[in-house]
């Protein structure tokens, strides 16, 4: 009989045999996974659960919140408040950090999340997800502030995402490769369905919102134009394009079969470095992608080496198959 490994067993083995994760981190990851299970249930109910549509409120980034953005945020906060592993949490949907209330024990970790990624896909029944990043609270000072969160992606203790698609899948790294778990709905448990995932270094597939083409910087246009020229162009091969508009889904495809994902800076809002958020979108995805042998840059620098200056900081993102990311990055360096 093939061995069926649960998330709990995987984490216990990481803790015991590999010494990779302390008990508090193990508990924390299990709680996040449990919260994702609850979010998955709401996502599945759709119209039957009255979870579709807009909440008619705006988040700190000026984006209109969907009902599920708020539900997912609440589920994650509630699930993670009392466990004792955390000092504070931060979310795309909250202006400032959420410190663990005094009635609960304080832990040594900080949790950041994009509770619901790909909000524009909720109402049209296309894959969406949850992204999370775990940092350690450094230093022994009392209390916790936003400053404590401003650490580079290299400092992440764990990162992951859950994709609510045809299957509900959790992808996780604790810095020892990337593992994948599929939710068994009958059993209510996460089952290990992939280990040491590797992104092929080369690809013939790119993901970018082409409708922004006229706003791009020259190196991005150069790269995409060369892809579009296909066999007859300098690349000498035909490329395929995919754009789900849920970062989680686009990254999941790349993790499964390779590809390059880009959400670059563009001229529409020249003062913003990009659309995606560094601390709870780009950093966790960069950690996962690098752990799977891929690369992630902002066009010039490795994403995980960027020093954040604020919680909701934005960043330009190029990630996925290593050789393609290096090519896009080289085009940016040429131009600079
Ligand atoms: P969120 O729903 O958390 O705000 O994130 C949406 C992001 C990301 O998931 C996706 O890659 C991108 O926005 C889609 O942008 P376009 O609308 O330009 O396609
Ligand atoms: Mn998002
Ligand atoms: Mn979101």
């Amino acid at each position: 009989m093939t061995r069926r490994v649960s998330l709990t067993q995987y984490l216990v083995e990481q803790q015991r045999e590999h010494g990779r994760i302390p008990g508090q981190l193990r508990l924390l990851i299990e709680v996040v996974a449990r919260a994702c299970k609850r979010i998955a249930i709401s996502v599945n109910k759709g119209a039957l659960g009255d979870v579709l549509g807009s909440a008619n409120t705006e988040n700190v980034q000026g984006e209109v919140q969907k009902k599920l953005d708020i539900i997912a945020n609440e589920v994650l906060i509630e699930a993670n408040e009392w466990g004792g592993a955390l000092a504070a949490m931060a979310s795309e949907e909250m202006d400032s950090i959420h410190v663990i209330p005094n009635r609960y024990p304080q832990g040594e970790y900080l949790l950041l999340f994009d509770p619901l990624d790909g909000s524009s896909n909720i109402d049209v029944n296309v894959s969406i997800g949850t992204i999370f990043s775990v940092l350690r609270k450094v230093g022994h000072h009392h209390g916790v502030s936003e400053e404590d969160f401003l650490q580079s992606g290299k400092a992440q203790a764990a990162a992951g995402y859950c994709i609510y698609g045809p299957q509900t899948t959790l992808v996780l790294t604790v810095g020892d490769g990337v593992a994948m778990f599929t939710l068994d709905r009958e059993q209510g448990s996460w089952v290990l369905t992939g280990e040491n995932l590797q992104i092929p270094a080369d690809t013939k597939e790119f993901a970018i919102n082409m409708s922004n083409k006229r706003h791009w910087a020259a190196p991005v246009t150069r790269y995409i134009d060369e892809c579009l020229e296909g066999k007859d162009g300098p690349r000498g091969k035909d490329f395929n394009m995919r754009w789900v508009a849920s970062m989680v889904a686009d990254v999941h495809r790349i993790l499964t079969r390779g590809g390059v994902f880009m959400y670059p800076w563009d001229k529409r809002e020249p003062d913003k470095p990009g659309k995606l958020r560094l601390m709870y979108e780009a950093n966790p995805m960069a950690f996962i992608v690098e752990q799977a042998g891929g690369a992630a840059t902002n066009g010039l620098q490795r994403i995980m080496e960027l020093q954040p200056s604020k919680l909701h900081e934005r960043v330009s993102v190029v990630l996925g198959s290593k050789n393609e990311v290096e090519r896009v990055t080289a085009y940016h360096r040429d131009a600079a």
Side-chain angles (χ1 to χ4, degrees):
M1 205 177 89
T2 48
R3 200 170 77 113
R4 204 175 138 109
V5 178
S6 66
L7 174 68
T8 306
Q9 187 176 350
Y10 173 86
L11 291 172
V12 168
E13 284 170 5
Q14 285 288 326
Q15 181 185 356
R16 194 196 296 144
E17 284 165 33
H18 307 282
R20 291 248 26 137
I21 49 170
Q24 255 197 19
L25 180 56
R26 174 168 76 78
L27 270 169
L28 164 54
I29 293 169
E30 289 214 58
V31 174
V32 172
R34 203 178 308 139
C36 288
K37 229 189 278 180
R38 279 185 57 192
I39 297 170
I41 292 166
S42 290
V43 168
N44 282 147
K45 287 215 166 104
L48 302 177
D50 190 26
V51 297
L52 303 184
S54 167
N56 295 317
T57 48
E58 267 190 14
N59 67 14
V60 66
Q61 354 239 349
E63 299 160 341
V64 176
Q65 292 173 303
K66 295 284 171 71
K67 285 184 193 164
L68 261 177
D69 286 321
I70 295 174
I71 294 168
N73 192 59
E74 280 168 4
V75 167
L76 281 156
I77 298 278
E78 249 178 58
N80 283 287
E81 244 181 4
W82 49 269
L86 285 174
M89 293 179 249
S91 159
E92 180 193 344
E93 306 304 340
M94 299 188 296
D95 303 10
S96 43
I97 65 165
H98 177 92
V99 177
I100 300 299
N102 283 332
R103 60 183 182 278
Y104 300 120
Q106 309 274 313
E108 55 188 270
Y109 289 98
L110 306 170
L111 176 66
L112 295 107
F113 45 82
D114 175 353
L116 214 292
D117 174 68
S119 300
S120 72
N121 284 319
I122 298 172
D123 296 349
V124 293
N125 201 358
V126 171
S127 297
I128 49 181
T130 296
I131 310 172
F132 66 94
S133 163
V134 183
L135 295 166
R136 282 176 207 88
K137 187 185 155 213
V138 218
H140 295 286
H141 54 283
H142 194 68
V144 54
S145 69
E146 185 172 317
E147 292 276 285
D148 292 299
F149 281 84
L150 304 180
Q151 306 178 37
S152 75
K154 277 189 304 187
Q156 290 172 104
Y161 65 78
C162 179
I163 175 165
Y164 313 110
Q167 302 112 44
T168 299
T169 307
L170 182 78
V171 168
L172 173 73
T173 183
V174 292
D176 185 22
V178 181
M180 184 160 93
F181 304 85
T182 304
L183 182 61
D184 180 331
R185 285 178 186 272
E186 281 77 47
Q187 308 273 345
S189 67
W190 295 103
V191 181
L192 183 68
T193 47
E195 239 179 325
N196 292 319
L197 305 185
Q198 287 294 317
I199 299 174
D202 292 297
T203 182
K204 290 175 163 187
E205 207 159 58
F206 64 86
I208 192 165
N209 185 342
M210 284 292 293
S211 66
N212 297 327
K213 188 167 196 269
R214 69 189 186 284
H215 308 296
W216 294 340
V220 177
T221 313
R222 176 183 170 193
Y223 175 78
I224 297 296
D225 280 348
E226 287 182 3
C227 293
L228 295 176
E229 282 176 68
K231 266 203 185 97
D232 309 325
R235 301 301 308 274
K237 59 180 181 181
D238 289 336
F239 278 77
N240 185 23
M241 193 204 83
R242 285 287 184 275
W243 183 252
V244 183
S246 292
M247 187 191 202
V248 162
D250 284 308
V251 169
H252 194 68
R253 183 186 58 256
I254 289 171
L255 202 64
T256 312
R257 66 175 190 215
V260 59
F261 169 94
M262 281 184 268
Y263 213 117
W265 170 92
D266 70 46
K267 280 179 268 186
R268 284 172 300 172
E269 289 181 283
D271 300 336
K272 274 189 196 159
K275 176 181 181 178
L276 298 177
R277 278 58 53 113
L278 173 61
M279 300 211 64
Y280 41 80
E281 290 179 319
N283 268 342
M285 290 312 203
F287 192 17
I288 292 166
V289 164
E290 283 196 11
Q291 283 291 315
T297 75
N298 68 351
L300 289 168
Q301 293 151 283
R302 188 176 162 220
I303 283 178
M304 289 213 288
E305 282 174 11
L306 300 172
Q307 172 58 47
S309 57
K310 56 180 192 216
L311 204 53
H312 299 289
E313 184 162 327
R314 293 175 190 254
V315 66
S316 176
V317 175
V318 183
L319 62 74
S321 291
K322 200 172 181 158
N323 293 339
E324 293 303 305
V325 174
E326 278 171 6
R327 178 182 286 267
V328 180
T329 308
Y331 287 5
H332 280 83
R333 289 200 179 125
D334 287 355

